[in-house]
Amino acid sequence: MRGTSFKSAQKRKAAEKLTQGLRGIVIFLFSLSGIINVLALTGSFYMLQIYDRALTSGSIPTLVAISVLAIGLYLFQGLFDVIRSQVLVRVGARLDKRIAPLAHQVAIDMPRFGFSTSEALERGRDVDTVRGFLGGQGPVALFDLPWMPLYLAFVYFLHPLLGVLVLGGAVILTMLTIATEIMTRRLSGATHQAAIERNAIADSNARNAEILKAMGMAKRAVARFDSANAEHLSLQTRTNDISGTFGAISKVLRMVLQSATLGLGAYLTIQGELSAGAIIACSVASARALAPVDLAIGNWKGVVAARTAFQRLMETVIALADMEPPMRLPAPNSTLQVERITVAAPASGRVLLSEVEFQLNGGQALGIIGPSGGGKTTLVRALTGIWPVLRGSVRLDGAELTQWKDEDLGHHVGYLPQDVSLLDGTVAENISRFDPADEPTAVVAAAAAAGIHEMIVRLPDGYHTRLGPQGASLSAGQRQRIGLARALYKNPFLVLMDEPNSNLDGEGEAALTEAIKGIRARGGIAVVIAHRPSALATVDVVAVIQNGRMTAFGPKEEIVGTRGAVGAAAAPARAPATARIPA
């Protein structure tokens, strides 16, 4: 019970943090809307005074005085309207500034847990949706709705029958608003999910444009997108049909009600129960009373979208609040311990690696070999913390990876993935991992350790050469070597490389060999996934991963022997899988 109450308190704290300072702003906007709505009665009072005072008296000074006063009140109403609009825009910008970094942090983490890129990017779109809503007419309608009784009271004061008529119209329009909410809520979730699926296909097609073009798959890719887009359009059309239909009905009813008010007012005037000015005043006031309802129905799609987006953002903030920030730990310099870890694919939940255990000491290099699909890359993802482990633990100097802050762990771990992606920036920024405290000497040292300093200085702008999205201006081998330099930046204790020589020529492989030697010489640990024997030249320990299990672990000479890495991948285990090799 105590743990549950603690989590509830955390969630409340997160929600309060997200909406901090907004309560006072909402009260201010509500009060400001009250002033605006009181001033909106200016037109009705003006009509009353013109018809019942100025015209009957025939006094020009009275007409001028009433008109000047009305113009002044209209100007004040316009000024307050501008202030309300600008405050709402700034509230949206404030929320964006507060939430957007958190949403992007979650977007970066979501693919690690099996979500698509499009689903991850939806958090950023949610921020845009909320900000756009606050800058539109939806909030204006919602702030004006509570002041409807003010106009109903004014009309009732003119004549009770007119008040009853306008109240009945308000009730009918309110019921239309509720019906719009009920009917669109069912479709909004399905429409949102269809949009995610469509965007996922679009994102996949864009990322694989070269393959689609080269292999004549573009037409089929477009057909897949068209099918998903048709589903999304169908759902969106149904949603728009509902909101559009109810919007049109509400507009017609408002016009009918306004005419009915005029007709009833005329009847009451003929009967001598109402003045001519009161007819016009009543018509203006009733139109103003029902305008917020009409505006709310017309903008209800935006209201629903903003509400759903804000709920998802609240969930995002609460999820981050559940994460206790770990303490800062000393830099690791001794061991990497893998204790019977089991790893599953986040997307499917299928177990890819089971009961793997070993230990490496500073100064050692591990080569991981085995057939494709055996679990080698899964192991490296677990060692970096990219994929969480189901059971077991990965420890640096005895501390689990979860006990490290991501930023701190990043200082101690270098990672070269199988598919190297560089960010849109300069060569130096990519090597330094976009470190704001970029140290030129450390950048050059990392480039030299990867053997690419000479290559970089020959580029048009040297280390300041911009690479463009994903480093598309470079060859695959150049991207891989810059990725290696990034992994070696500031000499991390643990360096993990997934097929680091897959795109390298002879010069690149020689540089890779020297880099692994350098890691070992400074007391670091290197882990290398290898399909080519040359990558194992400087490792002293080899592990064989087959069918999701480590079937062999031991000194390279015992595991590989004279048959090479490829033969060893299919060889039977010669050493226990849990062996620990001394440095």
Side-chain angles (χ1 to χ4, degrees):
M1 290 293 290
R2 185 175 298 176
T4 304
S5 60
F6 175 73
K7 287 186 177 180
S8 299
Q10 274 190 318
K11 291 180 179 180
R12 285 196 303 271
K13 186 177 179 181
E16 289 171 2
K17 181 180 178 181
L18 183 60
T19 57
Q20 184 178 8
L22 292 183
R23 181 175 298 176
I25 295 175
V26 169
I27 294 173
F28 170 75
L29 289 172
F30 181 77
S31 303
L32 191 62
S33 297
I35 297 173
I36 291 170
N37 280 275
V38 170
L39 291 174
L41 289 170
T42 299
S44 299
F45 280 109
Y46 182 69
M47 294 300 177
L48 276 173
Q49 297 304 312
I50 290 295
Y51 280 91
D52 295 346
R53 187 182 297 272
L55 290 179
T56 56
S57 67
S59 171
I60 299 299
T62 300
L63 175 61
V64 172
I66 294 172
S67 299
V68 169
L69 178 61
I71 290 172
L73 293 175
Y74 279 135
L75 289 176
F76 273 108
Q77 180 187 350
L79 174 64
F80 291 137
D81 255 328
V82 169
I83 292 173
R84 179 171 65 176
S85 175
Q86 292 187 352
V87 169
L88 283 168
V89 169
R90 280 156 179 76
V91 168
R94 179 177 174 180
L95 277 174
D96 190 310
K97 185 176 181 180
R98 185 180 297 175
I99 303 175
L102 300 176
H104 194 62
Q105 179 182 341
V106 172
I108 292 173
D109 277 341
M110 284 178 70
R112 295 174 46 219
F113 297 96
F115 293 93
S116 68
T117 305
S118 295
E119 287 177 295
L121 294 178
E122 278 299 308
R123 291 298 184 272
R125 297 189 186 101
D126 286 340
V127 177
D128 294 338
T129 299
V130 173
R131 189 188 66 247
F133 170 75
L134 290 172
Q137 291 298 307
V140 173
L142 296 179
F143 277 114
D144 284 345
L145 276 173
W147 296 101
M148 281 179 57
L150 178 67
Y151 300 99
L152 296 176
F154 176 79
V155 174
Y156 187 85
F157 173 77
L158 294 175
H159 198 283
L161 286 179
L162 290 173
V164 171
L165 177 62
V166 175
L167 176 61
V171 170
I172 293 173
L173 289 177
T174 302
M175 291 174 64
L176 285 176
T177 305
I178 295 171
T180 304
E181 157 69 8
I182 293 172
M183 296 184 69
T184 55
R185 179 181 289 183
R186 293 181 303 173
L187 292 172
S188 60
T191 304
H192 177 74
Q193 188 59 39
I196 290 176
E197 293 174 4
R198 181 198 62 177
N199 294 339
I201 293 175
D203 178 67
S204 176
N205 290 347
R207 285 187 288 105
N208 293 281
E210 293 182 3
I211 296 173
L212 298 179
K213 176 66 176 176
M215 303 184 71
M217 297 166 59
K219 190 172 182 179
R220 278 167 276 174
V222 172
R224 286 185 68 225
F225 173 81
D226 184 53
S227 176
N229 190 49
E231 176 66 18
H232 174 254
L233 286 177
S234 175
L235 291 167
Q236 191 176 54
T237 300
R238 289 166 60 189
T239 305
N240 290 341
D241 282 346
I242 292 171
S243 58
T245 300
F246 281 111
I249 293 173
S250 69
K251 185 179 295 183
V252 170
L253 284 176
R254 189 160 61 89
M255 293 169 63
V256 169
L257 184 62
Q258 194 167 359
S259 298
T261 304
L262 282 172
L264 180 58
Y267 171 78
L268 294 172
T269 303
I270 293 172
Q271 296 295 320
E273 299 181 29
L274 201 66
S275 66
I279 298 176
I280 308 300
C282 179
S283 177
V284 173
S286 62
R288 176 69 189 187
L290 302 176
V293 182
D294 189 30
L295 187 61
I297 293 174
N299 289 273
W300 201 254
K301 179 183 174 183
V303 173
V304 173
R307 182 185 61 200
T308 305
F310 189 76
Q311 288 173 347
R312 283 195 295 265
L313 291 173
M314 286 287 290
E315 292 169 1
T316 297
V317 174
I318 290 170
L320 291 174
D322 287 340
M323 300 168 59
E324 279 290 326
M327 288 179 54
R328 173 161 288 184
L329 299 175
N333 58 13
S334 178
T335 61
L336 166 67
Q337 296 169 297
V338 179
E339 299 176 342
R340 303 184 70 82
I341 62 171
T342 296
V343 186
S348 64
R350 185 168 67 91
V351 174
L352 302 178
L353 199 67
S354 299
E355 301 294 322
V356 172
E357 182 178 22
F358 62 87
Q359 176 174 316
L360 295 173
N361 299 314
Q364 290 190 287
L366 169 66
I368 303 175
I369 59 177
S372 297
K376 303 186 298 299
T377 298
T378 299
L379 174 58
V380 170
R381 286 172 175 164
L383 296 183
T384 57
I386 296 173
W387 282 6
V389 297
L390 291 180
R391 293 187 297 275
S393 58
V394 179
R395 300 179 182 273
L396 288 175
D397 284 9
E400 282 194 82
L401 296 185
T402 53
Q403 296 181 26
W404 303 78
K405 291 183 179 179
D406 286 347
E407 305 84 49
D408 294 342
L409 189 63
H411 291 309
H412 311 313
V413 176
Y415 177 48
L416 177 62
Q418 190 172 3
D419 298 317
V420 180
S421 292
L422 302 178
L423 301 180
D424 189 359
T426 66
V427 173
E429 286 174 331
N430 273 275
I431 293 176
S432 69
R433 310 178 187 185
F434 286 79
D435 186 352
D438 183 358
E439 299 178 17
T441 54
V443 172
V444 173
I452 56 168
H453 174 71
E454 294 296 328
M455 181 201 81
I456 293 173
V457 296
R458 290 193 183 97
L459 293 174
D461 295 312
Y463 281 90
H464 295 293
T465 301
R466 297 200 69 84
L467 301 180
Q470 298 183 339
S473 60
L474 302 177
S475 70
Q478 288 174 318
R479 289 198 299 272
Q480 194 159 41
R481 295 181 70 179
I482 290 177
L484 176 60
R486 179 176 62 187
L488 298 174
Y489 180 67
K490 287 191 174 179
N491 298 325
F493 172 66
L494 175 63
V495 181
L496 303 117
M497 295 170 275
D498 192 349
E499 296 189 37
N501 60 343
S502 58
N503 295 303
L504 299 184
D505 55 15
E507 179 184 349
E509 290 201 345
L512 174 64
T513 298
E514 291 301 316
I516 297 173
K517 285 182 180 178
I519 295 169
R520 296 187 62 185
R522 59 179 170 79
I525 294 175
V527 177
V528 185
I529 292 179
H531 276 300
R532 289 159 62 177
S534 56
L536 300 177
T538 55
V539 306
D540 59 327
V541 186
V542 169
V544 180
I545 303 292
Q546 292 177 300
N547 299 321
R549 292 186 175 275
M550 189 165 70
T551 58
F553 183 93
K556 180 175 66 174
E557 294 76 14
E558 293 184 15
I559 303 298
V560 177
T562 59
R563 295 183 298 169
V566 177
R574 295 192 179 184
T578 58
R580 300 187 179 187
I581 308 300

